[in-house]
Amino acid sequence: MIQDFSKFKRFFAFGCSFTNYAWPTWANILHQEMDAEFFNLGRRGSGNLFTACRISEANNRFKFCDTDLVIVMFISEVREDRYID
């Protein structure tokens, strides 16, 4: 368990609506305990495949390093991801 957040310069949160919604979520509450740049990349209605792709895209763009805190909230395996044209 992390007790000292001072080493983190950036905080990345990934997941579904439990991560990013119209009101504060666990990610927003945790960010209040930190002095770090915050990237909430969760998306309402997303499944695990979308979340995994979003993590890969963020890593390509931001180049995660030792001073980054990356937390992923995966959801139940019964939620589906669907591609719609």
Side-chain angles (χ1 to χ4, degrees), residues 35-80:
D35 184 27
E37 191 173 5
F38 181 41
F39 300 89
N40 191 339
L41 300 171
R43 184 169 180 188
R44 290 182 256 182
S46 65
N48 290 332
L49 179 60
F50 176 87
T51 299
C53 290
R54 184 84 106 166
I55 294 166
S56 179
E57 291 169 356
N59 186 37
N60 284 335
R61 179 176 175 195
F62 295 104
K63 309 292 187 224
F64 297 150
C65 66
D66 293 346
T67 59
D68 293 335
L69 176 63
V70 178
I71 300 181
V72 181
M73 182 181 168
F74 284 110
I75 56 158
S76 166
E77 68 278 353
V78 297
R79 180 181 276 180
E80 302 175 8

Side-chain angles (χ1 to χ4, degrees), residues 5-61:
F5 292 101
S6 63
K7 79 172 196 171
F8 300 113
K9 306 287 188 244
R10 301 184 298 182
F11 169 36
F12 295 89
F14 298 92
C16 63
S17 57
F18 290 116
T19 303
N20 191 357
Y21 202 65
W23 51 77
T25 65
W26 63 268
N28 303 99
I29 294 167
L30 181 57
H31 177 246
Q32 291 176 353
E33 301 295 320
M34 305 173 68
D35 184 27
E37 191 173 5
F38 181 41
F39 300 89
N40 191 339
L41 300 171
R43 184 169 180 188
R44 290 182 256 182
S46 65
N48 290 332
L49 179 60
F50 176 87
T51 299
C53 290
R54 184 84 106 166
I55 294 166
S56 179
E57 291 169 356
N59 186 37
N60 284 335
R61 179 176 175 195

